[in-house]
C-alpha cells in the first residue's frame, strides 16, 4: 500500500487486534476489514479521544502511589520482593 492515508487507516484497524499492519498476513487484514461491513459493526472511540487511554493509565498509577516521569534517564531499577519500588 503506497497511499499514506490508506496505510495509516489500515495500521489503525490493526491496532485494535494487537498487531501492526507491517508484516501482517493478508488473511488478518481481510478479517479486520470484513468486520466493518457486518450489520452490527460500529467504530468506538473513548470519550475525549484515544489520549484518554493514557490518561486513565496515569490516574491508575497515581492512585496506587506511582509517579510517571517522562524523558528521565534510569540508571537502576530497585526491586523488592519481586516488585519495582524505585
Amino acid at each position: 500500500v503506497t497511499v499514506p492515508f490508506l496505510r495509516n487507516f489500515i495500521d489503525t484497524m490493526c491496532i485494535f487486534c494487537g498487531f501492526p499492519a507491517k508484516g501482517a498476513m493478508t488473511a488478518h487484514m481481510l478479517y479486520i476489514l470484513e468486520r466493518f461491513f457486518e450489520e452490527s459493526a460500529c467504530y468506538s472511540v473513548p470519550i475525549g479521544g484515544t489520549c484518554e487511554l493514557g490518561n486513565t493509565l496515569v490516574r491508575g498509577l497515581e492512585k496506587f502511589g506511582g509517579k510517571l516521569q517522562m524523558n528521565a534517564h534510569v540508571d537502576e531499577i530497585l526491586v523488592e520482593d519481586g516488585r519495582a519500588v524505585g
Side-chain angles (χ1 to χ4, degrees):
V1 177
T2 58
V3 178
F5 174 81
L6 186 54
R7 182 180 298 166
N8 290 334
F9 177 78
I10 292 171
D11 273 337
T12 302
M13 297 304 104
C14 287
I15 287 171
F16 296 126
C17 292
F19 58 85
K22 184 177 182 179
M25 293 180 5
T26 303
H28 288 134
M29 304 295 287
L30 292 173
Y31 175 80
I32 293 166
L33 295 173
E34 180 186 31
R35 301 285 81 83
F36 284 94
F37 295 99
E38 291 180 354
E39 188 172 321
S40 61
C42 63
Y43 182 75
S44 299
V45 176
I47 294 173
T50 54
C51 65
E52 285 305 312
L53 294 172
N55 294 339
T56 300
L57 292 171
V58 171
R59 281 196 306 273
L61 176 69
E62 292 171 347
K63 178 180 177 181
F64 292 99
K67 178 183 172 187
L68 176 66
Q69 188 171 350
M70 298 169 56
N71 299 317
H73 178 75
V74 176
D75 288 322
E76 180 181 12
I77 299 174
L78 303 177
V79 178
E80 293 178 6
D81 298 321
R83 296 179 58 120
V85 294

